[in-house]
Structures are given as structure tokens and as C-alpha cells.
Amino acid sequence: MRILGKMNLPLSKLILAMTLLSLLTTQAANWPSWRGPNNDGTVKDGFDYPTTWDKETNIRWRVPLPAEGNSTPAIWNDFIFITQSEPKTNERSTLCFRRSDGKLHWKSGVTYTESEQTWQRPLNPYCSGSPVTDGKHVYASYSSAGMICHDFSGKEIWRRDLGKIDHQFGNGTSPILHGEHVIIYHGPGDNGALVALDKATGEIAWKIERPAPTQGAARKDNFRGNANGAISSYVTPIIVNTTNRQELIMGFPEQIMGINPASGSELWRFKGINPLLYASPNQHQGNLIFLGGYGGPSLSIRSGGSNDVSETHLNWRNDRASSHLPSAIIHEDHLYTFTMNGMAECIELNSGTLVWQERARGKGKDTAFWGSPVLTGDKLICMNRSGDALVIKASPTFQQIAANSMGEVCNATPALSNGQIFIRTHEALWCVETEKAL
């Protein structure tokens, strides 16, 4: 399945022109993956981003989408990529749009007709994981329909079946790139696994099966006392640099693991994190911060070490925390996050102390945050499910700067690039840009 959009130039000439343009543009201006160029939700490209907008003001364009979706756009120069499922036709696709005006370049993917669980669709549609690009190819997870790689013309390069995902909440993890590998946690579910694929061929380079959980009813989150509570990880792993090596950090249910990203060999493990994890980890000055899902424990541990570091590497732990689904942002010595209860939080990194917790007030009724925040300068931007873009100052003193209503359901994380904010809702893809820059 491959559909080309209407264009004035032949596709080959258009691709050549954009490739030449890419050589003149630094990666710092791109947003190549779910959490951006630094894999931490921050952008440091020197551009000024708008802090106020509405449906008409500071909007460059709005493009309707064929169905709901939760993935964040990946951006490389004039190419904007999203993943998209269309339940009526059973299509799971990668869509490529033109940055300048939002026109569709191409759509390519697969048809998948087998049944697959997910959480109260359309709350968590299929293809909720975000794509990743290296400037030549774009890689995407279609959940049970597998991983797929396209070039920038929409040609399928390879496709890899990783097995069916069977979990009540559905899928939502995103791939990352490291060296010659594309790495994805293909889960959740009992058969979840962290998998590294060869970028060029899609062949499996290494694979780590999800460790078996053991806490049962002794868990400390809002499923405590329930031996049948949800067990899952939606963690997208990160790469950290230690004194003498790189480590791939993955949060499995109940265990954090440091892994050699080249070989997949285990370096160390820490036991005691929540059985239900939504947020991906953060790193700060050699420490790793994990937020437990559904009121589960949050903690900070030191990276590095070998074998079982559960008794030696803990910095702090909060056994009862908020209902964290979004991943967090670090600015200076504080961690900022948003909750499923509509709250914004500031946590002091050295001690884990809650500095403030305040209601992030928008116009819509559904104040829950599913998408993760992004940071430009000292300004956090996060979308609640009503489609309100909350702008909060990243400061030990709470200050809400703006609440910008899009009026459309949004579970996705914004993408920032070249002074433009790209927001994917359940109805459309938006490009937000200060009018004076148009």
C-alpha cells in the first residue's frame, strides 16, 4: 500500500531538492524522534517559539487526518512523519507531509486484519508509537503488524514481524536509533521484548525477553492488594554515557536494566520499580529518574555498576507518587512533570522532594495529561486531553504562562523545530508559528 500526494514537481526532483536542503540544515533544527533531538524532550536550536495561540491566531496550517492517533511527528527538514491507523480499512501507515504547507507527500504501510486489544479505542489507537528518522530513512512500529522502514520517497525498505502484542491497554512504545541499530520495546504483554534490529536490513541483532514479575498483590501502586493488577511497560529506552561506556537504560515491569547497546548483554539490574510503567526515564549528572505509573513508586538511582545494584545504587525513593503517564523534563536541578489528574509538578532532583504541585488550568473538561511535555528555554509546553496547550515556566516557583485551546482531543507530545510547534490531535495535524515569522 503506497499512495503519493499531489505535487507540482516530479517526486524524484522533489526528493533531490529536499536532500540538498538537508545538507545545509543542522540536525539541531530537526525533531527526529518522539522526545526530540536530545531524546529528553528539550530543544536548543536558538529559535523563539510561540507561547500563545488559538484556532486561528499563530496557526500556519491545519491538515485533517483520516482517523484518531497518538503519535508525535518526527521532523527532518521539509519532511514531517506520523504513524496512522485507520480502523475502517485496517490500514496501518506512515504518513509524510510537506512542512511548508502541510500537503501530503505520501502514505505507505500495511493492511492488518487480525484482532488486537487496545485501551477503549479511540483513547489509545493502534500505531500510537512515534516514528524515528536518521535523515535517510524513517522507522515505525505498527504494534502487532511489526516494524517497518521506508525511505524518504515512501518506498518500503524492509518489514519485520516481531510477534503479536496482547495487552488490555494496547501498544505505545517508540523506537530509537543507536549506531547501526533501531531499538524498540515490543510490548507490553507477557511476550514483551526489547529488540535491536539492523537499520539496513531489519534483521534482529539481539533480543531481551521481559523478566517475569514477582510482586503480585504486594505492589505499592493503586493496584495494591490486587494480584491481577495491570503489569506493563510503555518505556522507550534511552542511551546514557558513563565514565567508560555507553548504557542502554530500559525499565521493565519491576526491574530497571543497564544494557550494552551494541551487543544486548546485561550490564546491571535494579529491582524494585513499579510493575506498571508509562513514563520513560530521565538522566541527570549520572543519575536515572524513573516515575512509577498509576501512583506507583518513583525513584532515582545511579547509573553504572555491574550485576544486581538494588542495594547499592538507590539515591531516593517515593513509594506513593502521583499518577504519572507523561514522561518528565529536567531543567537545571529540578524535574517537571504532568499527571493523569491534571496537575503539574516540580520535584527537586537531589532529594526527590516535591517542590510544588499545582492545577494546570485550561478551558476543556478533560484535564488529564497523556502526552509528555517539551521544553524550549525555560518554558514547558504540554497538551491535556481536551486539546489545551498549557505553557508553564520551568521554575521552582509555579507560574502558568498560557492555556491555548485547540478544541480537539490530544494525547500526543508536541514537536518543536525551527520556531514551529507541530501538534497532532485526534482530528488534525497543526503547525503553530508566530505570525510575524510567517
Side-chain angles (χ1 to χ4, degrees), residues 323-326 338-344 359-361 366-372 382-385 388-390 410-411:
S323 289
H324 295 120
L325 191 153
F338 294 75
T339 77
M340 297 178 69
N341 302 320
M343 308 298 285
R359 175 71 59 186
R361 300 188 181 278
D366 192 341
T367 62
F369 291 96
W370 281 29
S372 298
C382 195
M383 303 293 301
N384 69 16
R385 294 203 65 251
D388 297 326
L390 281 301
C410 182
N411 293 334

Side-chain angles (χ1 to χ4, degrees), residues 349-422:
L349 279 170
N350 291 328
S351 65
T353 301
L354 182 66
V355 178
W356 53 255
Q357 182 186 69
E358 300 286 347
R359 175 71 59 186
R361 300 188 181 278
K363 297 180 180 179
K365 293 183 179 179
D366 192 341
T367 62
F369 291 96
W370 281 29
S372 298
V374 293
L375 178 74
T376 171
D378 62 352
K379 296 177 180 65
L380 299 156
I381 304 172
C382 195
M383 303 293 301
N384 69 16
R385 294 203 65 251
S386 288
D388 297 326
L390 281 301
V391 184
I392 308 289
K393 186 173 183 180
S395 167
T397 302
F398 175 76
Q399 179 183 344
Q400 179 169 317
I401 297 170
N404 307 306
S405 178
M406 312 292 285
E408 299 174 0
V409 173
C410 182
N411 293 334
T413 300
L416 308 178
S417 176
N418 288 4
Q420 297 173 323
I421 305 174
F422 297 88

